[in-house]
Amino acid sequence: MITRPKAAAAQSRSTDLRVTITHQTQDRVREAAVILSAQFDMGTVPAWFGGASLVLALLIFGRDRTANDRKYVDLVAVWWEIEYERRMPNDSTRIEDVTVTLFLKNAGNLPVEVTAVEYTLTPSWLVRDLHQWPKRADGSFMEPNDPGFTGVWTVSTAQSSGRNFIQDIRIPPDKIITCGPYPMNIAHLVPDHADQLSPINGVKCKIEHMEVIDNTGRKWEVRPGAARRPIHLHRYRTRLRAFRDKWSTKP
């Protein structure tokens, strides 16, 4: 049976042993750190700055080269013009036919070829506001030609059309090519209770993307209005995009 003084002495020896092991472990860690620092030369501050300057120079060189390669593609522009008959919303004959004309300009001094221009149409309609639409005595909605009619229309943007394309257009230097006009019917984009196209910006055209081949044969993808530089379409990019379009197209 251990008395209290003997138990205290045993506990003191155990504490001294743990302290000794801890100091030995710290000494070994310091020795390992010294050995590693001697084996690996981390270099000096001037050497680090020199390496960073080399990387920065390579990045600037690559950026300038890419900008020089695409300078003729940056000079290719596309815009559109849409025409349709504007009528009052109380006109019983709804306008559903529009004409689209695209314009392509090459402001450079070398010819380019536009292999594809993809665009969509988004109409805006004058739609009856049924919450503020007057009713007849029998509870049915009034028509715009009824006496005492005071209905309200609101402008509603419908869903966009499917993808439309124009292809294989060669543009000489400093020339504008007119494509169209193309007649299009948008009856399938009419929402419920719509009477007429909006008289202001009734149909908008959005250029989704454009593919351009410069005079050296490089192919580029341009997205007008996306605030993005043209992308050089390497072979793997072209295959990836074709695969994406194939599987993203809904039946």
Side-chain angles (χ1 to χ4, degrees):
M1 186 174 189
I2 300 175
T3 59
R4 289 186 180 180
K6 291 183 179 181
Q11 184 177 4
S12 176
R13 286 194 299 270
S14 176
T15 304
D16 294 340
L17 180 60
R18 286 198 298 268
V19 172
T20 302
I21 293 175
T22 303
H23 286 310
Q24 291 177 354
T25 304
Q26 293 177 352
D27 293 339
R28 290 178 181 177
V29 171
R30 293 193 190 98
E31 291 175 0
V34 171
I35 294 174
L36 289 176
S37 62
Q39 291 179 350
F40 295 97
D41 185 7
M42 302 300 292
T44 61
V45 174
W48 277 95
F49 276 106
S53 300
L54 177 61
V55 174
L56 182 60
L58 291 175
L59 292 175
I60 294 175
F61 174 77
R63 184 194 62 182
D64 293 343
R65 180 178 178 180
T66 304
N68 184 69
D69 289 343
R70 70 167 187 269
K71 64 181 180 180
Y72 294 107
V73 180
D74 289 335
L75 297 175
V76 179
V78 57
W79 66 96
W80 48 268
E81 183 179 285
I82 295 180
E83 295 182 354
Y84 62 94
E85 185 178 351
R86 290 166 172 79
R87 293 189 178 184
M88 297 296 294
N90 57 1
D91 195 316
S92 59
T93 304
R94 184 169 58 202
I95 299 300
E96 300 174 348
D97 295 313
V98 301
T99 57
V100 182
T101 305
L102 297 178
F103 302 92
L104 298 169
K105 180 178 181 179
N106 177 17
N109 55 8
L110 291 175
V112 297
E113 182 179 357
V114 177
T115 59
V117 178
E118 177 187 346
Y119 64 95
T120 57
L121 301 179
T122 304
S124 296
W125 299 90
L126 295 177
V127 180
R128 299 182 181 187
D129 187 351
L130 299 183
H131 295 287
Q132 306 181 57
W133 202 263
K135 294 183 179 181
R136 301 188 182 99
D138 59 358
S140 62
F141 288 108
M142 297 180 65
E143 291 298 326
N145 295 326
D146 291 349
F149 171 78
T150 57
V152 177
W153 288 269
T154 59
V155 178
S156 176
T157 301
Q159 63 179 353
S160 299
S161 66
R163 296 184 297 179
N164 305 281
F165 292 90
I166 58 174
Q167 295 177 319
D168 301 331
I169 303 168
R170 191 163 182 84
I171 312 176
D174 199 23
K175 294 292 183 179
I176 297 177
I177 300 297
T178 302
C179 304
Y182 303 111
M184 302 186 68
N185 184 275
I186 56 174
H188 60 290
L189 301 177
V190 180
D192 295 336
H193 309 295
D195 287 330
Q196 293 292 345
L197 284 168
S198 174
I200 301 175
N201 294 328
V203 182
K204 293 183 179 180
C205 179
K206 180 181 179 182
I207 308 297
E208 299 292 344
H209 93 281
M210 178 171 60
E211 293 182 0
V212 182
I213 298 179
D214 60 20
N215 194 54
T216 62
R218 291 184 294 259
K219 193 172 185 178
W220 302 81
E221 182 184 26
V222 184
R223 292 187 179 271
R228 194 182 74 177
R229 298 187 181 96
I231 297 177
H232 185 201
L233 292 177
H234 301 282
R235 182 174 300 178
Y236 75 92
R237 282 182 179 270
T238 305
R239 292 178 179 176
L240 179 62
R241 186 176 183 278
F243 178 82
R244 180 192 63 195
D245 290 346
K246 175 182 178 181
W247 292 104
S248 63
T249 302
K250 296 182 179 180

